[in-house]
Amino acid sequence: MAIKITEECINCGACEPECPNNAIYDAGVEWRFSEGTSIKGMFTSKSGLTADADAPHSAISDEVYYIVSDKCTECVGFHDEPQCAAVCPVDCCVDDENWRESDEDLITKKDTLHLIIQD
């Protein structure tokens, strides 16, 4: 699954710097696959979106902070719990019931977003 931010968000911004995948954006801000990841060139996400990693995508919300589900790993592989939810003062970072992924899927996504180049 992924995390979503509900309309109860007070736009405090506490969640944004906590995300290891740079999946959280301020209201109205365009997002890119390359931001906060090692993705370069053409990329196809789990949802099937194919785009240049540096290409801007329209903001998902113009009202509150939002999470790009294609970049959210629920902090699996980084932390024991989603950091956005841990720091949110109004508990508006919640499970997105429309986006389900197993822990294995989340680890695979994390590894895809943060490629480790071996010497």
Side-chain angles (χ1 to χ4, degrees):
M1 70 187 138
I3 305 295
K4 68 179 180 180
I5 297 176
T6 66
E7 293 179 2
E8 288 78 31
C9 177
I10 59 172
N11 290 315
C12 70
C15 58
E16 185 179 22
E18 300 302 320
C19 182
N21 302 309
N22 202 68
I24 302 174
Y25 293 84
D26 196 354
V29 174
E30 294 178 330
W31 66 274
R32 291 168 175 77
F33 280 114
S34 63
E35 293 169 334
T37 71
S38 62
I39 298 172
K40 297 187 184 333
M42 294 304 292
F43 176 73
T44 300
S45 70
K46 182 176 178 2
S47 70
L49 175 62
T50 298
D52 184 291
D54 291 321
H57 298 274
S58 298
I60 295 171
S61 174
D62 290 331
E63 313 241 339
V64 295
Y65 276 80
Y66 65 89
I67 298 175
V68 176
S69 296
D70 273 317
K71 293 177 71 176
C72 178
T73 62
E74 293 183 60
C75 296
V76 169
F78 295 101
H79 304 286
D80 292 335
E81 65 181 339
Q83 296 301 285
C84 57
V87 300
C88 181
V90 292
D91 296 327
C92 66
C93 296
V94 299
D95 170 35
D96 185 346
E97 62 281 351
N98 294 319
W99 191 282
R100 297 288 179 200
E101 294 171 281
S102 68
D103 282 347
E104 288 176 354
D105 289 340
L106 293 169
I107 288 289
T108 299
K109 186 192 290 186
K110 176 216 171 257
D111 290 345
T112 301
L113 294 172
H114 303 280
L115 295 174
I116 298 172
I117 299 171
Q118 309 243 344
D119 294 328

